[in-house]
Each structure stands twice: as structure tokens, then as C-alpha cells.
């Protein structure tokens, strides 16, 4: 029986795998330690990240670990933004199992110009969903609308359809983008049998806005959040994790959660 995260705050630290160096994440170990000080429920990072910092994760046995299996590039120049569609499996389930992660995550990207890239993506996603349980690893699938054929990657109806297709592929958890409207997102969550975690997207300048968004997400019945830049690009990542955890796990209001930044 695979161990699925039913609820909580996951901090995403896999950005460097896809896009290189980010402001606020130049020092990987320091960022990891600062985030862990806030006691998140989970960490999402590349499989080698968990291998490289195994000594640190050994000190936090209750933190749920999710290893990213795929790599996504939109340019052949490292760190550059472009229109290329480069999406490959980077790590195997066997390596993830040896690294001791609780789960793995991969994307299913819609809106591609090249349908063959999407076809390969579907093959990869369905195979991982099928074989994950053979390694006692839970599978988180992230259907996204990042392709150039989609003009609005927060389109609620497209997210609903992508979520339904992702659910049908048989993962244990879904990671979806939030269309900035709880009334639009609630039907997505209601029709999905797996726990739904919401992706964070870009960093936000306004702390109150992040907390209010999280409170709205919780109101839809979502299982939790998977935030990256909204956490480690904040002035106080530890406090942000604590505040988000209070909202997601304890039902604290956004207003009351601001006390963590006092």
C-alpha cells in the first residue's frame, strides 16, 4: 500500500532542475534548511536532491518527500525562456526508490505545438502511474496548460478537463493550478477522487495576498498546496511555511496567520 499525502503544505524545490539559478535559491542547502525550520509537511525536489542532502532529511523523518522524475526545458540555452518543447524522463522509479522518497511527481503538459511530444508525455505518465505502486511509491501527476496553444493557463474549464484526464491515468495525487476563483476550482476538486494540491506559480509581493489565496484554496476542499517561489523568495521563508501550515492544517484565517510575520 503506497503512502499518500492526504493533506498539507509541500514546498517545491525542484525549480533549478528545469530553469537553473533563481533569486532566493542560489544556496540550495541554506534554502532547504530555512524551509525545513518552518516544519512543512512535504518537500518536492529532484531525486538527486534527496540523495545529496540525505543527511539533512534523515533529521526530519516526518517530512513527506516527493521526487521530480522529469525535466522540462523550453530552450536549448540553459536558463533561457524560449518556445522549444523539451520534456524528458530524467530519473527512473528504481533510482527514486533507492533514494527513499515517499512519492514521485511528473508533469502532463497540454497545449503543445507538437502532438508527438504530448503523446510521449502521456506514455511516460501512464507508465509511471502504473508502476509506482510496484516500488511502494506514490505518484503525483501535474497536468498543466503551459503549451503555446493555450493562451490562458489559468482557464478554469481547461484545468477541469486536464484534471479529469490526469485523474483517469491513475495517479495517487494531483497537482493543479488554481484559477484564482474558489467557485471555479471547487467543481474541479469535487470531481477528483485523488487528493488535489495546488501549484504556487510565480512569487507574490504581497504576503496577505498569498495567505488569502491559500485560505480560498482550502475552502474548495483541496488537500493542500505545493508552493515554491511564494515561499523561498519571501523575506522570511520559515514564517511563510508556518503561516501556510496554520491555514491548511489548522483552519486558521489568513488574517490571523499574519501573526507569524510579526
Amino acid at each position: 500500500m503506497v503512502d499518500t499525502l492526504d493533506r498539507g503544505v509541500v514546498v517545491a524545490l525542484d525549480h533549478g532542475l528545469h530553469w537553473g539559478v533563481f533569486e532566493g535559491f542560489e544556496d540550495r542547502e541554506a534554502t532547504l534548511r530555512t524551509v525545513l525550520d518552518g516544519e512543512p509537511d512535504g518537500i518536492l525536489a529532484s531525486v538527486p536532491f534527496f540523495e545529496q542532502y540525505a543527511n539533512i532529511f534523515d533529521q526530519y523523518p516526518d517530512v513527506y518527500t516527493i521526487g521530480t522524475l522529469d525535466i522540462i526545458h523550453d530552450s536549448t540555452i540553459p536558463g533561457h525562456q524560449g518556445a522549444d518543447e523539451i520534456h524528458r524522463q530524467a530519473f527512473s522509479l528504481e533510482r527514486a526508490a533507492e533514494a527513499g522518497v515517499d512519492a514521485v511527481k511528473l508533469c502532463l503538459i497540454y497545449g503543445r505545438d507538437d502532438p508527438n511530444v504530448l503523446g510521449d508525455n502521456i506514455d511516460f505518465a501512464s507508465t509511471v502511474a502504473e508502476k509506482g505502486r510496484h516500488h511502494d511509491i506514490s505518484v503525483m501527476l501535474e497536468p498543466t496548460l503551459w503549451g503555446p496553444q493555450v493562451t490562458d493557463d489559468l482557464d478554469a474549464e481547461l484545468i477541469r478537463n486536464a484534471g479529469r484526464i490526469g485523474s483517469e491515468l491513475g495517479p495517487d495525487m494531483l497537482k493543479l493550478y488554481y484559477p484564482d476563483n474558489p467557485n471555479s476550482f471547487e467543481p474541479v476538486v469535487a470531481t477528483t477522487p485523488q487528493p488535489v494540491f495546488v501549484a504556487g506559480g510565480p512569487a507574490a509581493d504581497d504576503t496577505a495576498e498569498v495567505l488569502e489565496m491559500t485560505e480560498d484554496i482550502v475552502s474548495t476542499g483541496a488537500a493542500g498546496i505545493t508552493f515554491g517561489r511564494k515561499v523561498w523568495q519571501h523575506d522570511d521563508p520559515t514564517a511563510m511555511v508556518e503561516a501556510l501550515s496554520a491555514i491548511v492544517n489548522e483552519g486558521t484565517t489568513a488574517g490571523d496567520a499574519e501573526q507569524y510575520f510579526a
Side-chain angles (χ1 to χ4, degrees):
M1 185 72 177
V2 295
D3 181 18
T4 298
L5 185 64
D6 295 321
R7 189 169 194 83
V9 173
V10 177
V11 178
L13 297 174
D14 63 341
H15 296 65
L17 172 66
H18 308 296
W19 299 292
V21 180
F22 274 79
E23 181 181 354
F25 197 8
E26 296 89 351
D27 187 328
R28 300 192 305 162
E29 181 175 338
T31 300
L32 173 62
R33 290 185 181 277
T34 299
V35 167
L36 287 172
D37 283 344
E39 301 184 359
D41 298 287
I43 293 289
L44 168 68
S46 71
V47 171
F49 190 96
F50 291 107
E51 296 170 341
Q52 293 156 3
Y53 297 110
N55 62 319
I56 296 177
F57 284 103
D58 285 344
Q59 301 169 36
Y60 297 87
D62 294 332
V63 172
Y64 193 85
T65 52
I66 307 172
T68 294
L69 290 187
D70 53 348
I71 187 167
I72 303 160
H73 286 342
D74 53 14
S75 172
T76 59
I77 308 301
H80 284 221
Q81 299 293 312
D84 293 326
E85 298 181 339
I86 304 166
H87 189 186
R88 295 288 188 273
Q89 179 176 355
F91 314 109
S92 66
L93 279 167
E94 290 76 14
R95 183 172 181 179
E98 291 174 0
V101 299
D102 299 300
V104 293
K105 191 275 296 182
L106 66 151
C107 287
L108 177 59
I109 303 174
Y110 285 100
R112 298 291 202 184
D113 280 330
D114 185 350
N116 291 316
V117 176
L118 175 60
D120 291 342
N121 194 176
I122 292 171
D123 287 343
F124 169 36
S126 59
T127 299
V128 170
E130 177 185 351
K131 294 185 176 180
R133 58 181 48 87
H134 297 305
H135 296 277
D136 292 324
I137 292 177
S138 187
V139 176
M140 173 182 278
L141 185 63
E142 181 178 2
T144 76
L145 306 172
W146 291 340
Q149 293 292 324
V150 179
T151 57
D152 179 8
D153 61 3
L154 297 182
D155 183 295
E157 188 60 25
L158 292 180
I159 291 173
R160 188 180 185 191
N161 282 309
R164 175 58 179 266
I165 295 168
S167 175
E168 297 279 355
L169 287 174
D172 303 288
M173 300 171 282
L174 285 180
K175 179 184 175 187
L176 297 172
Y177 275 79
Y178 177 65
D180 292 333
N181 186 329
N183 294 328
S184 298
F185 197 63
E186 189 170 355
V188 178
V189 177
T191 57
T192 303
Q194 297 94 338
V196 173
F197 290 82
V198 170
D205 295 328
D206 191 333
T207 297
E209 180 182 328
V210 176
L211 301 182
E212 289 165 6
M213 172 184 173
T214 302
E215 184 177 0
D216 286 344
I217 288 170
V218 170
S219 74
T220 70
I225 54 176
T226 308
F227 285 1
R229 284 168 284 182
K230 285 182 170 61
V231 173
W232 43 260
Q233 285 188 334
H234 191 272
D235 291 339
D236 190 343
T238 300
M240 178 58 84
V241 174
E242 293 172 337
L244 294 173
S245 296
I247 295 170
V248 173
N249 296 318
E250 301 170 21
T252 301
T253 65
D256 287 344
E258 290 191 34
Q259 66 181 302
Y260 289 94
F261 304 96

